[in-house]
Amino acid sequence: MAGVSRQTVSRAVNDKGEIDPGTKERVLEAARVLDYRPSRFARGLVRKGTVTVGLVIPDLMNPFFPEVAAGVLEAAELRGWQVVVWDSRTDEAREREALDVLSHQADAVVGYFKNEDDVLARRLGGVPLVLLERGPQRTRFGAVGIDVAGGMEQGLAHLVRAGHRRIGMLDGERSEGPGERREAFLREVRRHGLAVDDSWVVLCPEQSVAGGEAGAEQLLRVRPEVTGVVGFNDLIAVGAMRAARRRGLRIPDDLAVLGFDGLSLGELVEPALTTLHIDKRRLGRLAVEQVARLRAGEEPLSGTDAWVIPELVVRASA
Amino acid sequence: MAGVSRQTVSRAVNDKGEIDPGTKERVLEAARVLDYRPSRFARGLVRKGTVTVGLVIPDLMNPFFPEVAAGVLEAAELRGWQVVVWDSRTDEAREREALDVLSHQADAVVGYFKNEDDVLARRLGGVPLVLLERGPQRTRFGAVGIDVAGGMEQGLAHLVRAGHRRIGMLDGERSEGPGERREAFLREVRRHGLAVDDSWVVLCPEQSVAGGEAGAEQLLRVRPEVTGVVGFNDLIAVGAMRAARRRGLRIPDDLAVLGFDGLSLGELVEPALTTLHIDKRRLGRLAVEQVARLRAGEEPLSGTDAWVIPELVVRASA
DNA sequence: TTGTAAGCGTTATCAA
DNA sequence: TTGATAACGCTTACAA
């Protein structure tokens, strides 16, 4: 339409030099009229370099995950990478769908997955994967973990120090075996010689405030003698506080509540939530770093280098 | 390496029929060894159909936006589209950078922008754009708005009904002129004939709980006679509650606080926040719908069809 | 069941 | 300042 070769179009569109201003204007005008837009595929084919990473998040309504995502976004942007986000809603089937798509559309995938390594590998078709919150030992993929054991240790030490012996847990992980947090809880409880076993752990119907309320109701019914609770995460812990409150229990005097996450939400509730704070942004940033290593063919960070260590933040609830 | 043509490789990799199982295995094995992965660009070039939309979010730490994002993700997935997310951190320069990238890498852009239409258009290079929370009248792009006027009307009616006459506002929008919410507030306040003017509006340093606290401190200093406050959003309103509390004011007796957003956070604070609830997921879904229309060359929805209407949720704080 | 040939829309290179 | 030609890596005919 502008009567020039496609090469000249390219020069006009890409703002290269080596083109007559008049020609350029003519080309751009034609482009406007024709509503022409360069194909990103053809471009990508010819200019390498656009890296896209897929991010699979289980639950955008839990403030924990947006913060992890923010870390991923931040680190990705620094590298000039793009991030495609998928919400898996903690559904294994949806996780697989996400991989089916992302393995074709992304150069690497980062995220939370409940599916087995084998299942993941099959859908991945060779695309590098970095698992979030899975200990580096527990997968064959790249991983960034949380030092749950260390966190639980601090948390339980704190409760025991405050005189608690009858401590329950509100679990949030519905998987085959016991999840990492529940295991760590039971280990610590044993180490302190408390008369506490599996029956002191209640599985909440969901990882939310409502789920925590329901779980706490049940725990208080089954173990009314409980004086301290550890929540699987902050949302659940806040739920426990509400349930306790509704029962007329004072916090922390009648029931001490400990969270696990360090959401800013915890500072706003009454009383403020004592919690094991996790640097979520760092988690996300580390994940991107792992992707970079994988892509470069290097060994991913492992052990404590790829760990985020929870830090006990004592507030009023425990 | 497998000694076959690339067409056969294609068949093997894409799981087509018309291939000998042995050959297929051989090819896949070679692919594994060579760590071969099809180029998504070359694929995209030849099979049309992969749609990517860019989503520009101002602040992932405000629970409002992840929920909007969830709506966008949901609607996009339904259409088989992908979503690339960018965090602009409410920074105009970052908004422009986002557009520079996304206009090349996405087929459409959805998001929050403070930049002028002209600035946006220049960076867009013809890529369709849908603005979030900008009235359809106020932009030449597609838009999905919130009926701020209607919301404010409900909110102020509620406060006035409760007997408040000295009502302040904690604004959160730092722009040239007054933002939409502030304008609506002033309009309503005038309509009710209250002796309230600009000096009753304080601009918070940031749209967060801390920002709300700071703003409320100032408002209480300048207008100690205030008995009701409208927050720019829920985060700011919660901050106001904290500031008031710290001053020894009881809520809602000494100071009524009204939020604007309907975050679930509001149900957890003490007292629970009365707020103008917005269906954030719907906002996101509508935006994707607008994109679909734009792409199809149809007129985008306009007027009230592209509006989300706030709903007053009365809880304890006002 | 396999291979050959054409073409997807762009940019780089080099010649005009 | 412009254009011709050759990639880029894949898929879809169609032929063998």
Side-chain angles (χ1 to χ4, degrees):
Chain A
M1 173 167 168
V4 298
S5 73
R6 57 193 189 212
Q7 178 48 8
T8 301
V9 172
S10 176
R11 284 190 269 249
V13 168
N14 295 312
D15 227 354
K16 298 260 164 153
E18 311 188 329
I19 183 174
D20 182 281
T23 316
K24 181 170 169 180
E25 198 35 66
R26 206 152 28 90
V27 171
L28 290 177
E29 177 52 26
R32 209 165 299 130
V33 171
L34 298 172
D35 193 29
Y36 161 85
R37 229 143 350 95
S39 145
R40 68 167 179 283
F41 295 114
R43 264 202 177 140
L45 201 54
V46 102
R47 334 198 256 234
K48 316 290 167 194
T50 325
V51 176
T52 300
V53 349
L55 172 60
V56 178
I57 288 289
D59 178 15
L60 277 169
M61 295 305 105
N62 179 341
F64 186 88
F65 298 110
E67 206 168 332
V68 176
V72 170
L73 258 38
E74 187 185 320
E77 192 189 331
L78 246 37
R79 296 190 133 87
W81 298 355
Q82 298 184 78
V83 180
V84 174
V85 178
W86 270 78
D87 184 350
S88 71
R89 300 189 211 135
T90 332
D91 179 315
E92 299 200 28
R94 288 180 53 83
E95 288 176 6
R96 291 190 293 268
E97 286 167 36
L99 278 191
D100 285 340
V101 173
L102 292 175
S103 62
H104 290 319
Q105 307 287 355
D107 304 298
V109 177
V110 163
Y112 287 82
F113 290 92
K114 294 169 43 179
N115 279 281
E116 299 285 328
D117 276 13
D118 288 339
V119 179
L120 299 178
R122 203 166 314 130
R123 309 260 167 169
L124 227 31
V127 176
L129 173 65
V130 172
L131 258 23
L132 286 164
E133 290 194 47
R134 191 127 22 123
Q137 277 67 341
R138 300 179 53 188
T139 175
R140 66 167 183 270
F141 303 111
V144 179
I146 288 177
D147 182 10
V148 170
M152 258 329 157
E153 185 179 339
Q154 293 178 68
L156 262 119
H158 176 70
L159 289 176
V160 167
R161 209 179 304 129
H164 296 282
R165 313 282 303 163
R166 298 191 301 278
I167 303 174
M169 175 180 180
L170 298 173
D171 196 8
E173 200 160 2
R174 23 183 23 76
S175 51
E176 320 288 291
E180 202 178 356
R181 300 195 185 184
R182 177 196 207 124
E183 264 184 346
F185 168 78
L186 290 171
R187 190 165 48 236
E188 287 304 316
V189 127
R190 235 173 281 128
R191 230 163 51 78
H192 284 284
L194 308 186
V196 159
D197 61 14
D198 267 313
S199 69
W200 290 75
V201 180
V202 166
L203 180 58
C204 300
E206 78 185 334
Q207 289 186 19
S208 64
V209 173
E213 287 192 60
E217 299 274 7
Q218 192 187 330
L219 178 63
L220 289 168
R221 211 176 313 123
V222 185
R223 293 291 175 193
E225 67 268 42
V226 65
T227 69
V229 206
V230 178
F232 174 85
N233 63 17
D234 276 9
L235 253 28
I236 284 178
V238 168
M241 285 181 35
R242 291 170 72 80
R245 192 82 84 85
R246 209 172 28 236
R247 279 225 177 189
L249 300 176
R250 287 162 312 159
I251 296 171
D253 305 297
D254 300 325
L255 186 71
V257 178
L258 176 68
F260 202 124
D261 269 0
L263 303 187
S264 53
L265 165 61
E267 304 173 48
L268 304 176
V269 294
E270 189 64 39
L273 186 66
T274 294
T275 188
L276 291 155
H277 181 274
I278 295 167
D279 188 341
K280 306 152 213 59
R281 288 190 103 92
R282 174 146 188 273
L283 201 65
R285 285 196 308 261
L286 278 177
V288 172
E289 204 169 311
Q290 295 285 54
V291 168
R293 284 174 188 264
L294 254 26
R295 285 177 48 85
E298 303 170 22
E299 274 302 294
L301 292 175
S302 67
T304 50
D305 293 332
W307 266 25
V308 177
I309 304 199
E311 187 192 352
L312 179 67
V313 177
V314 178
R315 292 199 276 250
S317 78
Chain B
M1 174 165 166
V4 298
S5 73
R6 59 186 184 216
Q7 175 47 13
T8 302
V9 173
S10 176
R11 284 191 270 250
V13 169
N14 294 315
D15 228 355
K16 300 259 166 156
E18 311 188 329
I19 184 175
D20 182 283
T23 318
K24 180 170 170 181
E25 197 36 65
R26 205 151 29 90
V27 172
L28 290 178
E29 176 54 26
R32 207 165 300 130
V33 172
L34 297 172
D35 194 29
Y36 162 84
R37 227 145 349 97
S39 145
R40 67 169 181 283
F41 296 114
R43 263 204 178 137
L45 203 54
V46 100
R47 329 200 260 236
K48 316 290 168 194
T50 325
V51 175
T52 299
V53 350
L55 172 61
V56 179
I57 288 289
D59 178 14
L60 277 168
M61 296 304 106
N62 180 340
F64 186 89
F65 298 109
E67 207 167 331
V68 175
V72 170
L73 259 37
E74 188 186 319
E77 191 189 331
L78 245 37
R79 295 189 133 88
W81 297 355
Q82 298 184 80
V83 180
V84 174
V85 179
W86 269 78
D87 184 350
S88 71
R89 299 189 211 136
T90 331
D91 179 314
E92 299 200 28
R94 288 181 53 83
E95 287 176 5
R96 291 190 293 268
E97 286 167 36
L99 278 190
D100 285 339
V101 174
L102 291 175
S103 63
H104 290 319
Q105 307 289 353
D107 304 299
V109 177
V110 163
Y112 288 82
F113 290 92
K114 294 169 43 178
N115 278 282
E116 298 284 327
D117 276 14
D118 288 339
V119 179
L120 299 177
R122 203 167 313 128
R123 309 260 167 169
L124 228 32
V127 176
L129 173 64
V130 172
L131 259 24
L132 286 165
E133 291 193 46
R134 201 151 338 147
Q137 276 67 339
R138 301 179 54 188
T139 175
R140 66 165 179 273
F141 303 112
V144 178
I146 289 178
D147 181 11
V148 170
M152 255 332 156
E153 184 179 340
Q154 294 178 67
L156 261 117
H158 176 71
L159 289 176
V160 168
R161 209 179 304 131
H164 296 280
R165 311 280 304 161
R166 300 191 299 277
I167 303 174
M169 175 179 179
L170 298 173
D171 197 7
E173 201 160 359
R174 22 182 25 76
S175 50
E176 318 290 291
E180 202 180 355
R181 301 194 185 185
R182 178 197 207 123
E183 265 186 346
F185 168 79
L186 290 171
R187 190 166 48 234
E188 288 304 316
V189 127
R190 235 173 282 127
R191 231 164 48 80
H192 285 283
L194 309 186
V196 159
D197 61 15
D198 264 314
S199 68
W200 290 74
V201 180
V202 166
L203 180 58
C204 300
E206 82 185 331
Q207 288 186 19
S208 64
V209 173
E213 286 193 62
E217 300 273 7
Q218 192 187 328
L219 178 63
L220 289 167
R221 211 177 311 124
V222 184
R223 292 291 174 191
E225 66 269 42
V226 65
T227 70
V229 205
V230 177
F232 174 86
N233 64 18
D234 276 9
L235 253 28
I236 283 179
V238 167
M241 285 183 34
R242 292 170 70 80
R245 192 83 83 84
R246 208 171 31 235
R247 280 225 175 187
L249 300 177
R250 287 162 313 158
I251 295 171
D253 305 297
D254 299 326
L255 185 72
V257 178
L258 176 68
F260 203 122
D261 268 1
L263 303 187
S264 53
L265 165 61
E267 304 173 48
L268 305 176
V269 294
E270 189 64 39
L273 185 67
T274 294
T275 187
L276 291 156
H277 181 274
I278 294 166
D279 188 342
K280 305 152 215 55
R281 289 191 101 93
R282 173 146 188 272
L283 201 65
R285 284 195 309 260
L286 278 177
V288 172
E289 203 170 312
Q290 294 286 53
V291 169
R293 283 172 188 266
L294 254 25
R295 285 177 47 85
E298 302 169 23
E299 273 303 294
L301 293 175
S302 67
T304 51
D305 292 332
W307 268 25
V308 177
I309 305 198
E311 187 192 351
L312 179 67
V313 177
V314 178
R315 291 200 275 250
S317 77

